[in-house]
Amino acid sequence: MTDQTPAALLRAAAETVRHWAADATFDPWVPGVVARFGPELAEWLDGAAVDAEEVGADPHALAVARKILGAES
């Protein structure tokens, strides 16, 4: 993964979650969990990206984004 600003990292993770949710089949477990909660998770990550630009990045949101993108926290 290239070096990114916190906001860019959070937005990339949000986009990844949206792709997962669009591709997921509706199943009560995984990947059904992504289909059920993916849109809300993506929205939260987008909001965290705005916050990162305005007041600083939330370390918990960054940790989640890094996990989604397959990077070390």
Side-chain angles (χ1 to χ4, degrees), residues 42-72:
E43 188 175 322
W44 175 71
L45 289 164
D46 280 334
V50 171
D51 290 347
E53 293 173 328
E54 294 178 359
V55 297
D58 176 345
H60 296 101
L62 284 174
V64 170
R66 288 183 182 116
K67 291 290 184 186
I68 289 167
L69 296 172
E72 293 297 317

Side-chain angles (χ1 to χ4, degrees), residues 10-50:
L10 291 159
R11 287 190 179 99
E15 189 62 25
T16 297
V17 170
R18 284 189 182 92
H19 286 290
W20 289 347
D23 293 341
T25 58
F26 197 77
D27 178 316
W29 304 107
V30 176
V33 170
V34 174
R36 286 185 181 193
F37 301 109
E40 290 83 3
L41 176 58
E43 188 175 322
W44 175 71
L45 289 164
D46 280 334
V50 171

